[in-house]
Amino acid sequence: MASAAPRYSDAPASIARLARARPRPGLETAFDVARDDLVAVMTALRDDHEYQQLMEIAGVDYPERAERFEVVYCLLSLTKNHRVRVHVSTDEQTPVPSVTGLWPVAGWLEREVFDMYGVAFSGNDDLRRILTDYGFEGHPQRKDFPLTGHVELRYSEAEKRVVYEPVSLPQDFRSFDFLMPWQGPEYVLPGDEKAKGEAPGAPSPAPAPGGPAPQNAKTPAETPKTTDSPAQTGGGKPADVEATKQARKPRKAKAASEVSKPSSTPDPKPKGAGRRRPGGGAA
């Protein structure tokens, strides 16, 4: 009988007594840890409980809280095939202790949280932006960051470089009428005026003339475009006679007149035979 697949809630019994950590309710194994106890708890998880790998550091923003940010550490135990999360809360001014001394990969992950949320990490000597530009203002994943951003960039053909400009919305947000959506809005959207009929050669929005639309008269062909038999080529009687004569030739004569196919017999005279060097000797 195959063993059941491991679940997040199948935590080892010893981890329930993790010092300086408060278990979170739920199916997944998670703990709340104070900022000052973070390094000690993470060291115990790595050394005593065999959670060898730091998989991810994520950020969460709760603007209604006094400490609005949560830093979430995701750990993996390869020997126990189990995962655990550690949650630490902080505000905009208070830094979180860095875990780069335990896992060097945390340097890149902490830079991402700093770039997206503005959370500082004490002990990280290379805390710079990693996803946005160096001159970027604000932190994009904060809940109070506008969806349109503060600045926009474009390539300036005049200056031959990328320039930053304040965000401008030349087109107002459209307000739709949800009372009678099947009838459409009462206002005319830009471009809808082209749907009205126009008279030939008249400027828009002139009305179109009534009645059926004029159609081009069909011009009869002077000569028929089809042939009654394969011998008729459409090129006149002389061409038809020549085509009939070629069609009645035997197969061997047709093959002899074929010049597009390469010869299957080898050349009896090798290349270079009969050539002479400038000194008089044969090549």
Side-chain angles (χ1 to χ4, degrees):
M1 181 177 179
S3 59
R7 296 173 299 179
Y8 290 124
S9 57
D10 296 337
S14 60
I15 201 175
R17 299 184 298 272
L18 186 63
R20 302 180 183 179
R22 302 181 303 277
R24 278 197 168 197
L27 294 178
E28 299 181 357
T29 306
F31 296 92
D32 287 317
V33 179
R35 289 189 301 272
D36 298 337
D37 300 332
L38 175 64
V39 177
V41 172
M42 300 294 273
T43 303
L45 286 172
R46 187 194 65 174
D47 300 340
D48 301 337
H49 299 278
E50 301 179 359
Y51 286 89
Q52 301 94 346
Q53 290 191 358
L54 174 64
M55 304 302 297
E56 182 61 79
I57 300 179
V60 188
D61 185 13
Y62 299 97
E64 67 278 2
R65 297 182 182 179
E67 294 185 346
R68 59 182 295 184
F69 300 114
E70 272 193 4
V71 183
V72 184
Y73 299 82
C74 303
L75 304 181
L76 170 64
S77 173
L78 298 177
T79 55
K80 300 178 181 179
N81 193 15
H82 189 260
R83 297 176 185 268
V84 66
R85 296 198 322 267
V86 177
H87 295 249
V88 179
S89 60
T90 185
D91 52 20
E92 300 181 11
Q93 288 79 26
T94 308
V96 176
S98 176
V99 293
T100 53
L102 302 176
W103 293 282
V105 70
W108 289 67
L109 303 177
E110 290 173 355
R111 286 178 58 183
E112 183 178 352
V113 176
F114 166 75
D115 192 2
M116 295 291 103
Y117 295 92
V119 177
F121 292 87
S122 60
N124 191 330
D125 299 333
D126 190 23
L127 202 60
R128 297 175 291 134
R129 291 189 180 271
I130 190 172
L131 296 179
T132 59
D133 197 4
Y134 293 106
F136 192 87
E137 297 181 2
H139 304 281
Q141 289 191 353
R142 287 189 178 184
K143 294 297 181 62
D144 52 2
F145 190 83
L147 296 179
T148 57
H150 297 291
V151 295
E152 58 185 4
L153 57 92
R154 65 176 179 86
Y155 181 77
S156 174
E157 189 65 29
E159 301 183 20
K160 302 297 182 181
R161 66 180 181 88
V162 176
V163 296
Y164 287 82
E165 296 175 344
V167 174
S168 61
L169 300 175
Q171 181 181 3
D172 296 337
F173 291 104
R174 297 179 178 177
S175 58
F176 295 93
D177 184 8
F178 296 100
L179 298 179
M180 295 184 180
W182 55 88
Q183 294 183 358
E186 298 179 356
Y187 52 87
V188 179
L189 297 177
D192 288 352
E193 69 278 357
K194 300 179 182 179
K196 297 182 180 180
E198 301 177 1
S204 177
Q215 298 181 357
N216 295 330
K218 295 183 179 179
T219 304
E222 298 179 358
T223 57
K225 299 300 183 181
T226 60
T227 57
D228 298 332
S229 64
Q232 296 180 353
T233 62
K237 188 175 181 179
D240 295 342
V241 173
E242 182 65 24
T244 304
K245 185 188 301 183
Q246 295 295 334
R248 291 178 179 176
K249 284 185 177 182
R251 185 177 301 176
K252 188 175 182 180
K254 292 181 180 179
S257 62
E258 181 67 34
V259 296
S260 59
K261 297 180 180 179
S263 177
S264 58
T265 59
D267 189 3
K269 188 177 183 180
K271 296 182 178 180
R275 296 182 183 177
R276 295 185 177 275
R277 295 181 180 177

